[in-house]
Amino acid sequence: MSLSAMVLALTMTVSYGPQSMDVLPGDGGRRPGVFLVHGGWWSEGDKSALASVARRFSALGYAVFNLNYRLSGAARWPAQRDDTIDAIEHARRNAARYRFDPSRYVLVGFSAGGHVAASVGVHDRRPPGLRGVVGFSPVSSPLLAYDTGGRLGRSARALAGCPPRACPRTWRSMEVAQHADPGDPPMLVFHAAREFVPPAHSLPLRPLAEVRVLPGADHSLRLYGKRSVARAAERWIKSIM
């Protein structure tokens, strides 16, 4: 049996509240954890998009949690952040079952999921043990997305449920940089220079976040698919665990 097939065979799907996640338990003893948060405009997609990413981190020796969250068509912000926190808390309560060290974990998010992951990272209610956040093309500023217009702007409005003037507190809650504090866990963020979620989304997060800008227009999973980018993220995660 190949390593990929062995990892797949060990995967368990578990429920937390109305949501579910795929868990790839640690291999031997309690292992540091990686929580994966998928993208999709906050309105579509699910954990299946990150199945290969989950297998990769499992092969590196982590306990992996590939989670779902409520989409914006079903629930407005902050449901997505709350579901992610619930997934972490479930994993912490069941740490022995998942062979997971709850004092050492990271969040890795893609596009809209990068926004959700970063929002957990700067949230006062984040569960203990978070060592850092990695984002690939995170939509760190829904306000900038709204101002950009097009599908990105419409998606940000759907997440809030109203335009910024109608519910400014909700929009402030969605802005990651508005809540960042020097005591928050560090972040590593990747953007392509010409992608539709530009580096301007994450630059206000410095110095909490290290923002790496790469040439080209690749977005999210395509950006992660570059071997040099994926390996850089893996090295950074290993260094903070």
Side-chain angles (χ1 to χ4, degrees):
M1 182 182 292
S2 69
L3 177 60
S4 179
M6 290 174 64
V7 170
L8 185 61
L10 292 171
T11 302
M12 59 178 76
T13 300
V14 302
S15 297
Y16 55 99
Q19 300 303 313
S20 67
M21 63 181 166
D22 293 335
V23 180
L24 288 68
D27 181 15
R30 295 199 182 191
R31 306 297 298 167
V34 173
F35 289 80
L36 302 176
V37 191
H38 71 83
W41 310 93
W42 299 286
S43 64
E44 61 186 47
D46 63 20
K47 55 188 172 59
S48 64
L50 301 182
S52 63
V53 182
R55 292 193 294 270
R56 169 64 185 174
F57 278 106
S58 178
L60 291 173
Y62 297 101
V64 182
F65 305 88
N66 185 13
L67 62 95
N68 280 338
Y69 53 86
R70 281 171 287 178
L71 302 177
S72 59
R76 297 171 181 170
W77 184 262
Q80 298 72 26
R81 183 186 65 199
D82 293 346
D83 287 349
T84 302
I85 290 174
D86 287 347
I88 298 168
E89 291 177 337
H90 170 90
R92 288 175 53 81
R93 288 193 301 269
N94 295 276
R97 178 188 180 195
Y98 302 143
R99 300 195 291 274
F100 163 51
D101 179 355
S103 71
R104 293 186 295 160
Y105 68 92
V106 297
L107 285 160
V108 180
F110 297 79
S111 192
H115 164 257
V116 176
S119 295
V120 173
V122 300
H123 189 45
D124 292 340
R125 198 169 69 85
R126 64 177 179 268
L130 179 60
R131 297 293 184 92
V133 177
V134 179
F136 295 93
S137 308
V139 193
S140 305
S141 174
L143 272 171
L144 179 57
Y146 181 82
D147 289 341
T148 299
R151 185 176 182 184
L152 192 59
R154 293 192 299 272
S155 297
R157 189 191 186 287
L159 181 66
C162 52
R165 288 185 179 180
C167 53
R169 291 182 63 182
T170 299
W171 284 86
R172 183 181 183 281
S173 174
M174 297 194 303
E175 287 291 298
V176 179
Q178 289 283 331
H179 307 281
D181 181 88
D184 293 332
M187 298 184 188
L188 175 63
V189 176
F190 296 90
H191 286 275
R194 295 185 287 105
E195 65 165 302
F196 70 91
V197 181
H201 274 265
S202 297
L203 292 177
L205 291 170
R206 297 183 302 186
L208 177 65
E210 177 185 350
V211 182
R212 301 189 187 182
V213 181
L214 294 100
D218 288 324
H219 174 72
S220 188
L221 273 171
R222 287 185 177 273
L223 197 56
Y224 170 82
K226 294 179 177 292
R227 182 180 176 87
S228 60
V229 174
R231 298 303 177 264
E234 291 166 6
R235 288 193 298 270
W236 188 84
I237 290 171
K238 184 178 181 180
S239 73
I240 62 172
M241 288 292 205

